[in-house]
Amino acid sequence: MNITVWNEFRHEKLNAAVAAIYPEGIHHVIAKGLQQEGVNVQTATLDEVEHGLTDKVLRETDVLIWWGHKAHEEVEDEIVQKIYQRVLEGMGMIVLHSGHFSKIFKKLMGTSCDLKWRQVGEKERLWVVDPSHPIVAGIGEYIELEKEEMYGEFFDIPEPESLLFLSWFAGGEVFRSGCTYSRGKGKIFYFRPGHETYPTYHNPQIIKVIRNAAQWAAPIVGPQLQFGKTDPLEKL
């Protein structure tokens, strides 16, 4: 399996507090956590040529992991369209935290993907609400994070095909924090935690969920999608 971890890589360069937690970037920590036998992990960032997502990179990527926040509008529409097409063809996609507002996630969802938020570090408990799903394999009843940014309902997304995590925050809010979708042949997982000023991606349980999700979202062998005019099937 070939995984590409994409990150804006802006906060780490501009904010000393973020750089202290992720000195080589959020993408580097996630990539390191995903490395294991049989898995090839590479990274790409916003300021690289074609955002690091050339035709060759996308063609060879089985699962794309996306972290974005402050520069969604800087992602070129042409690259978004190429990612979208690859998802329809079968590339898996994992969208993290504030990537909910990225161009590609909004295009895949067809909604505003807006929500409530509060950037005050508070306790979050991510309750597992579908213990039979492979993405939560090896996770207990919940994951507890001492400090995270609050996201709250209403979250303007389509009804998830599977809801895996429901978050509760110390302020009383709840949030659909782990949602799966399919588009064409591609599988998509949105996973909420991961604000840049907290060490969320150093948490082994968070990385385990992302690793499980990559295995789940990886392309499967199947028939090519056929559209348009076609000849009648042969009579049986």
Side-chain angles (χ1 to χ4, degrees):
M1 178 166 57
N2 297 314
I3 299 174
T4 300
V5 182
W6 190 90
N7 176 28
E8 286 178 353
F9 198 30
R10 290 287 180 79
H11 290 282
E12 300 93 326
K13 297 176 180 179
L14 301 173
N15 186 320
V18 179
I21 301 169
Y22 301 108
E24 297 180 85
I26 287 171
H27 54 297
H28 186 83
V29 171
I30 294 173
K32 185 177 179 181
L34 297 178
Q35 290 172 348
Q36 58 182 320
E37 186 176 352
V39 177
N40 300 310
V41 187
Q42 63 181 342
T43 62
T45 59
L46 178 65
D47 291 327
E48 295 178 49
V49 176
E50 297 185 63
H51 310 319
L53 300 173
T54 63
D55 289 346
K56 181 177 186 296
V57 168
L58 287 174
R59 185 172 61 251
E60 296 176 354
T61 296
D62 295 314
V63 179
L64 176 63
I65 298 173
W66 190 275
W67 195 101
H69 188 189
K70 65 183 297 177
H72 297 310
E73 293 306 311
E74 293 184 41
V75 178
E76 297 177 10
D77 292 341
E78 181 181 356
I79 302 298
V80 173
Q81 181 59 38
K82 289 180 180 180
I83 298 169
Y84 179 77
Q85 186 59 42
R86 281 290 293 124
V87 172
L88 296 183
E89 293 169 357
M91 182 182 73
M93 183 149 196
I94 301 170
V95 177
L96 301 173
H97 191 56
S98 47
H100 73 90
F101 228 39
S102 63
K103 288 182 178 181
I104 182 58
F105 190 65
K106 290 195 287 187
K107 184 176 180 68
L108 287 164
M109 296 298 103
T111 59
S112 75
C113 299
D114 215 340
L115 46 78
K116 294 188 181 78
W117 60 276
R118 181 171 58 249
Q119 195 176 323
V120 176
E122 57 192 273
K123 182 178 290 187
E124 175 183 6
R125 185 171 286 183
L126 296 105
W127 288 95
V128 174
V129 293
D130 184 357
S132 68
H133 201 283
I135 289 178
V136 301
I139 303 298
E141 287 189 318
Y142 60 85
I143 299 172
E144 187 163 293
L145 302 173
E146 285 301 316
K147 288 188 176 182
E148 252 296 351
E149 180 181 28
M150 188 282 293
Y151 280 9
E153 296 288 345
F154 177 63
F155 185 17
D156 186 21
I157 52 174
E159 187 71 21
E161 293 172 13
S162 295
L163 177 61
L164 308 185
F165 290 98
L166 184 65
S167 284
W168 166 88
F169 293 88
E173 293 84 1
V174 297
F175 190 77
R176 289 168 288 169
S177 287
C179 305
T180 71
Y181 299 91
S182 58
R183 296 291 185 267
K185 292 181 66 178
K187 291 185 281 187
I188 303 156
F189 178 55
Y190 171 75
F191 190 41
R192 196 218 70 82
H195 188 68
E196 68 275 2
T197 59
Y198 307 114
T200 302
Y201 296 117
H202 291 284
N203 185 306
Q205 286 185 296
I206 297 298
I207 291 297
K208 185 172 183 60
V209 170
I210 298 172
R211 186 185 303 122
N212 289 348
Q215 293 172 344
W216 168 83
I220 59 174
V221 177
Q224 294 296 316
L225 300 180
Q226 300 292 333
F227 299 103
K229 186 177 179 180
T230 186
D231 295 325
L233 295 174
E234 294 181 7
K235 292 183 180 180
L236 298 178

